[in-house]
Amino acid sequence: MIIIMKKNATEEEIKNIIKEIENKGFQALVTDGIERKVIGIKGDVSTIDSELFYKTGVEEVKRISRPYKLVSREFIPKDTVIDIEGIKIGGSNSPVIIAGPCAVESREQIIETAKAVKEAGAHILRGGAFKPRSNPYSFQGLKEVGLEYLKEAGEITGMPTDSEAVGESYVKLVSEYCSIIHIGARNGKSFELLKKAGKIGKQSRKPILLKRGENATVKEFLGAAEYIANEGCSDIILCLRGIRTYENKENGFQRYTPDLGSISVLKKKTHLPVIFDPSHAAGDREYVRSLCRGAIAMGADGLMVETHLDPDNAKSDAPQQVRPKTLQKIIEDVNLIYKKK
Ligand code: PEP
Ligand code: MN
């Protein structure tokens, strides 16, 4: 339930509403709308009569039965801007480029890649240390040592870092090494992991990068973000990465179906920044550059592009990783498109 105050509502009237909410045993969350204050009630309010809150200063009381409220644009009309060690994402900030290999493969590889992506114009370094692979015999990542190397590469190049926490027990570890805690597509419905990410994100003041589940609707994706926000962590970056349809990556087709249209839908439904990952969507480096152009033209707040110095010999996701030279061209495209808008 959200209570929309009148434009000219006084502090006293706002306080009265908060008191009423707290007397009922709920928590009130006050946010600044564009012209007025909005007060959200946290928790299961299905048994509360909304008439209770029609007091002086109140414009409207809305019952929200959707699985998401805190992340909705109705609750917070203004765009959320997240500051990642000085890099701002969301709102009117220019697109943020997260680049780096699918996986950290060695100390030298991640340091050299970090230098190359920085040179190409990237802002944030990515690199998986724990890799969620469909095949248990495929390269699983360097684990904690990979996080150490990633951190070092970030420090050398002055870039914030992003790496995936594949399960509940990895969230704290990732928060200790990285600037961003990344939750992968396979975990969009791992609710205990999402709650843990929200808790650790709040404690460590580290943003969460949440990928859309490969089978998740946009509503379910926002529900997953709500699990994180409900733990008090409001710095969430939504990352689209393609969804499963009838596409099949064999023989030059795409790995997933790029969900570019969802950028507009998310921009309408949520205040959170939205970025796009063309690499996992296409599964083929040939399609990555044009998808990046599309995503920025659609209004994405950033991109996550898998980049490798020698993609053909990458230990994971070899076909989809671009070379730093292509990343540079992508960033040039991004700057042109962003300026034109
Ligand atoms: C990744 O970005 O490292 C990754 C595994 O992607 P996804 O979760 O989208 O498959
Ligand atoms: Mn990958």
Side-chain angles (χ1 to χ4, degrees):
M1 194 179 287
I2 59 172
I3 299 155
I4 303 161
M5 301 303 293
K6 288 196 167 126
K7 270 190 217 170
N8 57 358
T10 64
E11 282 299 315
E12 202 51 42
E13 287 165 343
I14 294 167
K15 268 193 204 144
N16 277 343
I17 298 293
I18 296 174
K19 213 156 98 198
E20 187 71 47
I21 294 170
E22 290 175 349
N23 283 345
K24 291 268 160 305
F26 291 96
Q27 194 189 336
L29 294 161
V30 186
T31 55
D32 282 318
I34 288 165
E35 290 179 315
R36 54 190 97 222
K37 290 255 195 282
V38 177
I39 306 174
I41 310 178
K42 229 179 134 188
D44 178 10
V45 289
S46 51
T47 55
I48 306 188
D49 182 359
S50 57
E51 290 297 316
L52 265 176
F53 302 106
Y54 275 105
K55 293 180 178 293
T56 48
V58 172
E59 172 83 30
E60 197 185 352
V61 181
K62 273 195 193 171
R63 195 177 278 285
I64 301 180
S65 54
R66 295 186 302 257
Y68 61 94
K69 172 167 67 184
L70 304 173
V71 303
S72 74
R73 187 82 55 207
E74 248 171 336
F75 186 51
I76 302 181
K78 278 194 239 163
D79 287 331
T80 286
V81 173
I82 304 175
D83 189 325
I84 311 151
E85 296 168 13
I87 309 280
K88 291 200 168 78
I89 184 162
S92 58
N93 292 290
S94 54
V96 168
I97 312 297
I98 305 175
C102 176
V104 178
E105 297 172 5
S106 69
R107 179 172 176 270
E108 195 201 0
Q109 174 249 12
I110 191 66
I111 293 174
E112 291 313 310
T113 313
K115 289 179 183 164
V117 301
K118 168 97 182 189
E119 175 81 18
H123 308 102
I124 296 175
L125 179 65
R126 65 150 284 149
F130 298 90
K131 293 307 300 174
R133 307 301 300 278
S134 319
N135 181 341
Y137 307 112
S138 302
F139 176 59
Q140 302 284 309
L142 296 183
K143 310 197 166 62
E144 189 167 353
V145 171
L147 292 176
E148 270 172 35
Y149 296 158
L150 179 70
K151 185 173 191 295
E152 188 183 350
E155 282 165 1
I156 291 172
T157 51
M159 278 190 287
T161 53
D162 163 282
S163 201
E164 180 172 350
V166 284
E168 258 183 87
S169 55
Y170 302 89
V171 181
K172 182 122 189 9
L173 188 71
V174 170
S175 78
E176 282 161 5
Y177 284 98
C178 299
S179 322
I180 300 174
I181 306 163
H182 169 144
I183 304 294
R186 279 144 209 85
N187 282 315
K189 286 206 170 154
S190 300
F191 301 119
E192 294 308 315
L193 169 61
L194 296 169
K195 286 187 210 167
K196 183 84 176 198
K199 276 197 192 97
I200 303 279
K202 182 186 178 199
Q203 276 166 23
S204 62
R205 295 168 176 260
K206 299 270 165 96
I208 310 296
L209 183 142
L210 175 67
K211 287 201 157 186
R212 178 179 183 176
E214 51 192 61
N215 299 314
T217 61
V218 170
K219 193 168 163 185
E220 286 166 340
F221 185 25
L222 288 170
E226 186 80 7
Y227 263 96
I228 297 170
N230 194 34
E231 298 297 330
C233 174
S234 48
D235 287 350
I236 306 164
I237 301 160
L238 299 176
C239 181
L240 295 167
R241 44 79 74 209
I243 46 171
R244 197 178 283 284
T245 59
Y246 306 100
E247 215 41 56
N248 179 330
K249 81 167 166 175
E250 303 308 325
N251 307 321
F253 292 94
Q254 296 181 104
R255 188 174 177 185
Y256 292 93
T257 297
D259 41 356
L260 289 179
S262 304
I263 296 171
S264 310
V265 180
L266 285 169
K267 285 274 154 198
K268 180 173 169 193
K269 305 274 183 203
T270 177
H271 50 85
L272 296 173
V274 180
I275 69 167
F276 184 72
D277 164 358
S279 313
H280 292 88
D284 185 330
R285 74 180 70 91
E286 190 178 337
Y287 308 124
V288 165
R289 188 174 168 193
S290 55
L291 280 173
C292 289
R293 289 194 205 112
I296 297 301
M298 295 286 295
D301 297 298
L303 299 170
M304 174 179 266
V305 186
E306 283 192 341
T307 311
H308 198 283
L309 298 176
D310 180 12
D312 290 330
N313 290 305
K315 290 193 175 166
S316 58
D317 285 349
Q320 70 194 35
Q321 303 202 58
V322 298
R323 295 179 177 80
K325 213 170 48 193
T326 307
L327 180 71
Q328 192 180 331
K329 290 199 182 107
I330 289 171
I331 296 173
E332 284 164 13
D333 290 345
V334 167
N335 293 337
L336 276 175
I337 297 166
Y338 180 70
K339 263 189 212 134
K340 269 194 193 159
K341 282 203 298 170

